[in-house]
Structures are given as structure tokens and as C-alpha cells.
Amino acid sequence: MEQTEIRKNLWSIAGSEGLKLGIVSATYMFATLLLEKTGMPAFVNSLLTFVLWGAKFAACIWLMRNAMIKFAGLDNSITNRETFRLGMATALLSSFVFSMISFVNVAFISADLFTEQIDAMMQQMAPMMDSNSLSMVDSYLENLPTITFISNLVYCFIFGTILSAILSRNIPSVDPFADYKSQE
């Protein structure tokens, strides 16, 4: 397959799989927000959150692995390096999707929840803080959606890049004895 065709397929697969990965992570985020509002005991809430996190973690690994296998199956000339590039592109696009959804959540959907939590914290901490610290917390609250976007973008991209580096080592599988077989 021609190199431009491989790149075209890479970005096509990375776009669709990145969207899926971003939606899986966003679904987990909203599910945990709903769990907090149910009023369940803390132990049950923590247990369900842990189970949901495990399911999200496994789903992200499974989706990334399947995307790489799908890409490697397109042509026999695709190497581990190209599957790693697919993983990085998928990580970039999925981190962007999830970061945008979390930005919208913090800025618009659950803005009152975050404001209430920070106000409750401020009522407890205000006697111990000076005016500079109080103004810094206020500026933090104003910039919370942007901070959330950037931190999620960086975290998800790094996680996805590490995951793709691990998975791409064996996709496509490499025969370690290929050099010896060709000499026989």
C-alpha cells in the first residue's frame, strides 16, 4: 500500500476510534456524577465507581487494541511503528473529544455543582486564608473549565501514547526468526 494511502487510513481509523474512546470516557464521567447524586452510602458509591472505572479502563484498552489490529490488517507492509502512530493519533483525537466534553460539563452542565463544592471548601478554609489566597481561589474558580480542558487533554494524550507504545510492540506480530528463514 502506498504511504499516502496508509496515512489516509490512519487518520480515518484514528478519528472514528478516537471518538469512541472519548465517548467511553465521557460516559464514565457522567455516570460517576449521577452516582454522587443518588445518595447511596459512601461504600456502595465507591465500589460502583471502582467497578465503572475498571470497565472504562478495560474498554479503552480493548478499543485501542482493536483499532490497531484493524489498521494492521489493512496491509502486510504496515509496521509496528505505523501502528504506534495510529495509537498516538487516536490518543490525541480521543483526548480532544473527552476534554471538550469535560469542559462543557464544568462550564455549563455541572457548573453549579463545582461552585457549591468550592464554596463549601471556602467556608471551611476562609478563616485560615489571607486575602491573596482568597483571590487566588476565586481566579481558580473562574479558570476551572480551561484548567480542566488542558489537564484532561494532557493526561489522556499521555495515557493513550503509553498504551499505544505498549500495544504496538506486538501489532502486527513480528516473527523473530524471519531473518533465519529467508537464509534457508
Side-chain angles (χ1 to χ4, degrees):
M1 188 180 293
E2 195 175 309
Q3 194 66 21
T4 56
E5 190 71 23
I6 289 174
R7 284 191 185 130
K8 179 182 166 190
N9 288 332
L10 183 141
W11 283 104
S12 175
I13 293 172
S16 64
E17 297 302 317
L19 183 62
K20 291 175 191 175
L21 281 166
I23 290 173
V24 165
S25 297
T27 302
Y28 167 76
M29 177 183 64
F30 287 119
T32 57
L33 286 174
L34 286 174
L35 278 176
E36 288 178 16
K37 293 181 180 182
T38 60
M40 284 189 277
F43 175 74
V44 175
N45 193 353
S46 297
L47 184 64
L48 286 174
T49 300
F50 179 73
V51 168
L52 285 173
W53 177 84
K56 176 196 77 142
F57 189 74
C60 288
I61 293 172
W62 184 77
L63 284 169
M64 180 73 83
R65 183 176 178 276
N66 283 345
M68 291 177 156
I69 290 171
K70 178 181 175 182
F71 180 66
L74 292 177
D75 190 10
N76 291 339
S77 67
I78 293 177
T79 64
N80 299 88
R81 184 177 184 182
E82 289 162 336
T83 56
F84 173 68
R85 287 181 180 163
L86 170 82
M88 281 188 64
T90 303
L92 176 67
L93 297 173
S94 70
S95 65
F96 185 72
V97 168
F98 176 67
S99 297
M100 285 301 299
I101 293 171
S102 65
F103 175 84
V104 169
N105 180 43
V106 172
F108 305 109
I109 298 171
S110 300
D112 55 340
L113 175 68
F114 291 106
T115 304
E116 288 173 14
Q117 289 176 347
I118 291 176
D119 286 343
M121 181 191 71
M122 289 299 294
Q123 289 175 357
Q124 292 177 352
M125 302 295 290
M128 296 178 270
M129 300 173 93
D130 63 354
S131 62
N132 290 333
S133 299
L134 291 171
S135 66
M136 187 177 78
V137 171
D138 286 338
S139 69
Y140 172 78
L141 184 59
E142 292 171 6
N143 296 320
L144 185 62
T146 306
I147 293 168
T148 301
F149 176 81
I150 293 171
S151 62
N152 280 327
L153 186 70
V154 170
Y155 169 76
C156 293
F157 178 67
I158 290 172
F159 176 78
T161 301
I162 292 170
L163 178 62
S164 66
I166 293 168
L167 293 176
S168 69
R169 293 179 61 177
N170 294 321
I171 301 173
S173 59
V174 178
D175 184 6
F177 302 108
D179 292 337
Y180 296 110
K181 289 178 183 177
S182 64
Q183 293 174 0
E184 292 178 359

